[in-house]
Amino acid sequence: MKAPTKSDYRVGCHWESARASGAVAIARLDAESTEELDALLSELTLSMPPPLGAVVHRTLAGVDDGIVARISEGCALVMPHGAGRIIAALDGWFDQRCAQACRGLRTRDTGVRRARRTYPEAADDCEALALCAIARGASPRGIAMLLSQSTLFASARANGWTPGSTDRERARRLSGLLTPPRVVAIGVANVGKSSLLNAIAGRTVAIAMDLPGTTRDAVAARVELDGIIVDWFDTPGIRLTDDEVEVSAQAIAARIASGADLVLEVSAPGMPCGPSSFPAPRLRVCTRIDCDPSEDSPEARSADACVSSTHRLGLDLLARSVRRALVSDADLASPDPWLFDEALVTAP
């Protein structure tokens, strides 16, 4: 029997995990037939392919040890360690052997086929894609919207609708329901940013003390704000210092803020935030409003939201303000279909 070649395997490979170093990476293999997947897994692991439902430990292409999980006759998950070199090596191995490796599964119709194989109970392609989006989506507000898309798309298409630039722009804004946006809090030292994160998260995430420079690195937590999940970053206080560690931490925080989806300019009565030049939209937050209950301070008067972390005042308003800055009421309430997956352009 001749050795298998690239054309022998009509199998697609897609990395489900992020393209970044981590503890574990996850690759998904989808095949046109059970036999093709069995053949690829046998070559990958130099052993018998796992049966349906099995989770086994195997050596992967001589590159790394990992886990192989057979989730259907034509689909398996391969989970190596998440180091960049391991991912790159396996990427090359798959690309040499799979007729549709990586780039094939990014085509629209393959995405639909994969969704239908994953959710055979779906009424149509749109519902299958919506269920896939729900599985990877983080925000509760997105679930009801996704479940309604099959009906919306069918009705819109019956009326001659085709997606345009307005639909794609709305889809870009609503993508925050699927991928948590980055919210970065900035402000001078000892203004209450860490206490605010702890109050929002409902647990101790950041160390909060009445000492400038306590936070010496960016601290992140995934939190829910008015039905949308965000990655909230607490950054070191902005101040002049000769401490090399703190200076380095402030530089890292500035880089994080430069890639934010929303910047929170945090102040307190008598402690303005100061100027910032980050490109993201901004929301002004005044903390310690319990010290200024009449909101007479310049910081309170100019704020979009006033809060007290200690007394948990104003947190709901802040949550709504952040959510509206990221995903507007109008986008959520629109009766138009949500183009949450480009495969919907061709899905029937």
Side-chain angles (χ1 to χ4, degrees):
M1 179 182 292
K2 68 181 182 69
T5 64
K6 183 174 180 177
S7 61
D8 289 322
Y9 300 129
R10 292 179 297 167
V11 181
C13 174
H14 173 79
W15 289 99
E16 297 282 2
S17 52
R19 286 284 191 163
S21 294
V24 177
I26 304 175
R28 176 177 174 132
L29 305 180
D30 286 282
E32 295 292 331
S33 70
T34 301
E35 292 74 16
E36 287 168 326
L37 184 59
D38 283 346
L40 183 66
L41 290 176
S42 293
E43 187 185 1
L44 174 67
T45 63
L46 296 178
S47 61
M48 293 292 293
L52 179 63
V55 178
V56 297
H57 177 264
R58 293 286 188 269
T59 297
L60 306 175
V63 172
D64 186 38
D65 279 8
I67 301 298
V68 178
R70 187 69 169 267
I71 61 176
S72 73
E73 292 296 346
C75 179
L77 298 180
V78 176
M79 291 166 274
H81 293 93
R85 291 184 179 180
I86 293 174
I87 294 174
L90 288 174
D91 233 356
W93 191 92
F94 287 128
D95 197 36
Q96 290 175 7
R97 289 160 176 80
C98 301
Q100 299 174 8
C102 297
R103 56 185 177 276
L105 274 182
R106 294 190 182 105
T107 61
R108 293 171 185 170
D109 59 346
T110 303
V112 172
R113 288 201 303 271
R114 183 160 65 100
R116 292 309 296 262
R117 277 199 297 269
T118 305
Y119 295 100
E121 71 276 16
D124 54 31
D125 290 347
C126 182
E127 184 174 307
L129 290 167
L131 291 172
C132 284
I134 288 172
R136 73 175 187 273
S139 295
R141 279 187 177 270
I143 295 175
M145 288 185 65
L146 287 166
L147 291 176
S148 69
Q149 294 309 304
S150 180
T151 300
L152 289 177
F153 269 92
S155 175
R157 286 197 176 99
N159 292 320
W161 171 86
T162 55
S165 59
T166 301
D167 300 292
R168 285 186 164 82
E169 185 61 23
R170 176 173 174 251
R172 183 192 63 77
R173 296 190 297 268
L174 287 174
S175 65
L177 297 176
L178 300 177
T179 303
R182 175 177 291 189
V183 176
V184 180
I186 65 170
V188 298
N190 205 32
V191 79
K193 299 185 301 298
S194 297
S195 296
L196 179 59
L197 172 55
N198 292 338
I200 287 289
R203 64 187 190 279
T204 300
V205 177
I207 299 173
M209 296 177 63
D210 290 332
L211 283 174
T214 299
T215 301
R216 299 167 72 91
D217 204 349
V219 177
R222 184 159 288 187
V223 297
E224 181 180 341
L225 300 173
D226 196 36
I228 180 171
I229 301 297
V230 307
D231 288 331
W232 181 302
F233 288 80
D234 172 33
T235 62
I238 302 169
R239 66 173 186 143
L240 295 176
T241 177
D242 294 327
D243 187 315
E244 292 184 3
V245 174
E246 195 171 343
V247 169
S248 176
Q250 289 185 12
I252 293 171
R255 288 198 295 272
I256 293 172
S258 67
D261 296 293
L262 179 67
V263 171
L264 303 183
E265 295 181 337
V266 183
S267 64
M271 302 177 69
C273 178
S276 64
S277 57
F278 301 112
R282 303 173 199 176
L283 200 67
R284 291 166 296 182
V285 182
C286 181
T287 62
R288 300 177 183 168
I289 200 60
D290 51 305
C291 299
D292 180 24
S294 57
E295 300 183 10
D296 289 331
S297 66
E299 293 76 23
R301 290 199 302 269
S302 63
D304 298 298
C306 294
V307 303
S308 168
S309 303
T310 303
H311 298 280
R312 301 193 61 81
L313 300 174
L315 297 181
D316 288 344
L317 171 61
L318 174 59
R320 285 195 298 273
S321 299
V322 171
R323 193 270 301 162
R324 286 170 174 162
L326 295 167
V327 180
S328 71
D329 291 338
D331 283 335
L332 291 173
S334 173
D336 297 329
W338 169 17
L339 194 64
F340 61 89
D341 191 313
E342 272 296 319
L344 290 164
V345 175
T346 55

